[in-house]
Amino acid sequence: MEQNSVKSMRPSARAHFQESSSQEKVEFEELKEKVRWWKDLNFTEQFPYARDRLVKCHFYTVGIYFEPQYSRAREMMTKVLTIYTVIDDTYDAYATYDELVPFTDAFDRCGCDISAIGSVPPSLKPTYQALADLYTQIEEKFIKEGKLDRLYYAKYEMKKLARAFFKEAEWLNVGYIPKCDEYMKNANVTTTCMMVATTSLSFMEESIAKETFEWMINEHLILRASSVINRLKGDCIGHNLEQQRKHIASFIECYMKEFGGSKQDAYAEAQKKITNNWKDMNKDFLCSTHDKVPTFVLELVINIARLAYIFEENDFASAQSEFKDKIMLLFVEPVNV
């Protein structure tokens, strides 16, 4: 932007512009630091089967909380999301069912403690090690900050997500297509919104009461609605791509099998559910009686639902050129006024 153009702005507008430009630089520097961390993990050799989605995870995290004071939270949340996308690919496209049984048990029984790595199949040890190391780093930060109680809730959601991923692996292993309600009950977890919301909250700087975390893991309406929106939006956008390979049935297949409708009927039903869940979420937010839940917590959950609308042609996991353009606009190209 021309320097003279900045000077010609009103003081309030100039201050806002300079703040936005400064924040853009901060977030770009954060991204460069995370790229260095990811390279140190030796991604290409450690996880050759997984898609490299570090930059997408950083982009996603900025959508959850972009404010300057959450720089450390964005750092930790991006790392968590990046490792979880590798775990998703592990369940989805790499490991055999027999390998996933002890892998999931190590998560569920030991909460990703490194002591359980001996029971993990050799091919999956690097994945387990990466997540165990990350949670050790998180634990150390929480201890320093006197927030160790938050680790319980982050690990609680991690275990729940591993069990839900494994449920999908069971269905895929036997060729089972669940009914819509059964599918959505599990899919609300595998869409990762609940894990993301709880873990994101644990990284925030604010003082947060135990009751707020308990409210979060009890899956209140606003959180369930956010999960439904993300899952159905993703299923509608990514359906055709996912079904080109062996993949668990999406809501589209489940609806077609249960009700004998067409693909168009399934899309219409998904859109109807998305609309209704937005109504539920907005009502719950505007008419909230959650005395123990701060507004910024509800806003975080809504931000996660909004992120479902980033991509129109591909879902978060598969977007390429569409995503690259958004990254350039948000982190690289200067703001034009």
Side-chain angles (χ1 to χ4, degrees), residues 153 198 201 207-218 291-294 296-297:
Y153 298 101
T198 303
L201 185 64
S207 176
I208 303 170
K210 175 183 177 181
E211 289 79 6
T212 300
F213 284 103
E214 291 291 333
W215 174 89
M216 188 73 82
I217 67 173
N218 284 330
D291 296 335
K292 296 180 181 179
V293 181
F296 71 83
V297 176

Side-chain angles (χ1 to χ4, degrees), residues 274 276 317:
I274 289 171
N276 288 337

